[in-house]
Amino acid sequence: MTPPATPPARTRVNGPYTVVELAGEIDLATAGSVADHLDAATASAAVDVLVDLRGVEFFDCSGLRVLCRAQDRAVRGGGRLRIVCDQPYLRRLLGATGLLGRFPPLASLPDGLPDRTP
């Protein structure tokens, strides 16, 4: 079951992909809502989750923790979790925390996927 859209997160399924779109500030105050969406997205086996961070303005360690936990869960279930990110500051954050290798960002969604929901 997909959680309802909340200010920082919305989930949509398109073909084999589950896209979790994040926007605004991802911090201690919003990490719980993000975790709800990522928990739902990684609940099944062999999922292919794309976390779209292109609408994020701020991202702290609370968001990184939630991403790491969701990726672990996806991999344990035989799936994967990838991020879509075009902001240099998020790439620097991933690099500074040693997570760039774990989350090599895609610049855009895979071909054929609509860019963002309205």
Side-chain angles (χ1 to χ4, degrees), residues 6-92:
T6 58
R10 120 182 9 205
T11 299
R12 63 186 165 103
V13 176
N14 195 306
Y17 303 105
T18 300
V19 181
V20 179
E21 297 173 354
L22 304 182
E25 296 184 3
I26 308 303
D27 55 18
L28 186 58
T30 59
S33 177
V34 172
D36 290 344
H37 282 263
L38 292 176
D39 286 349
T42 58
S44 301
V47 295
D48 195 349
V49 178
L50 298 165
V51 182
D52 189 349
L53 301 175
R54 293 175 295 167
V56 170
E57 298 164 6
F58 177 82
F59 202 89
D60 74 4
C61 61
S62 302
L64 291 175
R65 179 182 43 79
V66 169
L67 276 181
C68 289
R69 188 174 65 100
Q71 186 197 40
D72 288 344
R73 187 173 179 190
V75 169
R76 276 194 314 272
R80 65 182 173 174
L81 181 142
R82 297 174 289 164
I83 64 169
V84 179
C85 170
D86 58 2
Q87 295 107 325
Y89 87 90
L90 281 172
R91 290 185 65 91
R92 284 192 304 275

Side-chain angles (χ1 to χ4, degrees), residues 64-65 67-68 83 93-105:
L64 291 175
R65 179 182 43 79
L67 276 181
C68 289
I83 64 169
L93 175 65
L94 292 169
T97 58
L99 294 173
L100 192 57
R102 182 173 179 171
F103 296 105

